[in-house]
Amino acid sequence: YYEHKKDPKNGQEDILMKRRPLVGVGVLIRSNERYLLMKRHNSHGEGTWSPPGGHLEFGETLEQCAIRETREETSLLIEDVVFIGISNDFFIAEDKHYITIWMEAKKIKGDAIINSPDELTEIGWFKLNELPAPLFLPLEKFINKNYYC
């Protein structure tokens, strides 16, 4: 799992860890048969629509991550957070690789707002048959049933 490379300047050998996928958690939040999506900004998938989500932090459960990311990004409180699948996502243009863990939850309190205008530009609730375009790669794969459960 390690790669050895020589520094061209001093000829010394450095040990570098090979690249590994990152772990993201996506949260499908349901309210009145609609799902919450946000338009991404200043991140991989720029201009695409995705549900709330983000990186799993060290020591955090999947449910805690889903609740935290949803609150941070939208101010919503959610409950009944359950695992629904995993997608393996390669972002070729951005040279990124993620394992996305999909969770589903119900909204319990609050109005969805954009808490991070530097990361998101729009927010809304959409029926599955009326989703905006383009969709974030992991969400598109999930909707097309290209995931593990």
Side-chain angles (χ1 to χ4, degrees):
Y1 289 95
Y2 295 97
E3 188 175 307
H4 298 271
K5 289 192 174 182
K6 285 196 176 188
D7 185 326
K9 292 181 184 174
N10 63 21
Q12 291 184 349
E13 193 171 273
D14 291 325
I15 298 174
L16 305 172
M17 287 188 70
K18 286 190 176 181
R19 296 175 61 195
R20 296 180 186 201
L22 298 172
V23 178
V25 174
V27 190
L28 295 175
I29 303 167
R30 179 175 83 254
S31 180
N32 299 322
E33 301 307 316
R34 294 178 184 268
Y35 290 85
L36 182 65
L37 297 179
M38 307 168 303
K39 195 169 195 180
R40 299 173 64 86
H41 180 60
N42 288 329
S43 180
H44 63 288
E46 168 88 25
T48 62
W49 289 85
S50 75
H55 294 107
L56 180 67
E57 299 294 338
F58 184 82
E60 190 173 47
T61 68
L62 300 176
E63 295 82 1
Q64 289 168 335
C65 180
I67 291 166
R68 175 184 55 77
E69 286 288 351
T70 299
R71 184 86 170 138
E72 285 176 3
E73 293 178 353
T74 70
S75 292
L76 289 179
L77 294 178
I78 57 174
E79 68 177 359
D80 298 334
V81 181
V82 295
F83 168 81
I84 53 175
I86 295 173
S87 58
N88 189 16
D89 308 309
F90 299 96
F91 296 86
I92 303 301
E94 295 93 345
D95 194 31
K96 293 186 178 204
H97 180 191
Y98 276 84
I99 300 300
T100 305
I101 300 170
W102 288 98
M103 307 296 282
E104 187 172 45
K106 291 180 186 172
K107 171 191 145 187
I108 59 166
K109 187 175 179 185
D111 293 320
I113 62 170
I114 295 174
N115 280 342
S116 305
D118 56 323
E119 297 175 2
L120 309 166
T121 59
E122 298 178 52
I123 193 166
W125 294 93
F126 302 91
K127 290 183 179 180
L128 279 179
N129 61 351
E130 298 174 351
L131 296 177
L135 295 176
F136 188 47
L137 173 69
L139 178 60
E140 184 176 358
K141 288 178 70 175
F142 187 81
I143 288 171
N144 290 323
K145 301 191 184 320
N146 186 3
Y147 65 94
Y148 306 91
C149 51

